[in-house]
Amino acid sequence: MSFQEVRYRPVLGRTLAVVTVVVCALGVIALFWSEPASAWRFVWPVLLVAVLAWALFWRPSLTVAEHGITVENVLRTHFVPWPSIVAIDTRYSLTLRTAHGRVPVWAAPAPGRHRTLGLAPKDFDGVGPSARGGVGELRPADALTTPSGNLAQLIRGHWERLRDAGAFAGGIDPEAATVTWHWATVAVVAALAAATAIGLLI
């Protein structure tokens, strides 16, 4: 059963990342321009903010492909094959409930209250049956007009078609799902945090 790959990165998050990094870069230039002797002490927190902005707002993404879903979060990247998925949730963010645990999708948080106030029944037209709770209820984050709901339905639709076609009858390969830590990001953040502390204390 073929499937056209879809890759999602939130535009707002990428915009915030770019703005923050540009402001930090201007801050670094201003520090070395006005206080060159002491700039090395105070440049580290500015660089730390820039790296955190990139990790928090630029990196998160979701790729939905024929053989599985790749969730790139701040510190880890998860690959989830279709048979590993047990359910798709949208309570706090789009979340894949798998045989190995929950995989939240940082790139698709649940919409805020201001976004859900204007939702109408038509915004839920076509939502798959596996989205509904015990009494048939749906969450605001399941609305197809929200990023979390739209992506959840994309995943549910293909997952339900595979399930109904018997594609999961062979069971789950325990080694198919993978988790990759972003050790370089962890190391850079830790180093900049330590440099920040040292610079502010001396």
Side-chain angles (χ1 to χ4, degrees), residues 42-133:
F42 304 109
V43 72
W44 308 114
V46 180
L47 295 177
L48 177 59
V49 169
V51 170
L52 288 175
W54 171 79
L56 289 168
F57 302 126
W58 183 273
R59 164 172 274 165
S61 68
L62 172 71
T63 303
V64 185
E66 182 176 358
H67 300 293
I69 300 169
T70 302
V71 179
E72 188 173 13
N73 288 334
V74 178
L75 297 179
R76 293 185 295 181
T77 293
H78 302 260
F79 175 72
V80 181
W82 291 103
S84 292
I85 299 174
V86 175
I88 298 96
D89 189 16
T90 59
R91 184 174 183 182
Y92 301 113
S93 70
L94 173 59
T95 301
L96 307 178
R97 290 171 51 196
T98 77
H100 308 288
R102 300 169 65 88
V103 179
V105 180
W106 280 64
R113 186 176 300 178
H114 67 283
R115 175 64 183 84
T116 60
L117 289 176
L119 294 177
K122 65 180 181 180
D123 294 310
F124 298 88
D125 289 346
V127 174
S130 62
R132 299 182 180 274

Side-chain angles (χ1 to χ4, degrees), residues 3 82 88 128 130 152-162:
F3 183 84
W82 291 103
I88 298 96
S130 62
Q153 180 54 26
L154 171 70
I155 296 170
R156 284 192 189 105
H158 191 60
W159 179 72
E160 289 171 356
R161 287 192 294 273
L162 290 171

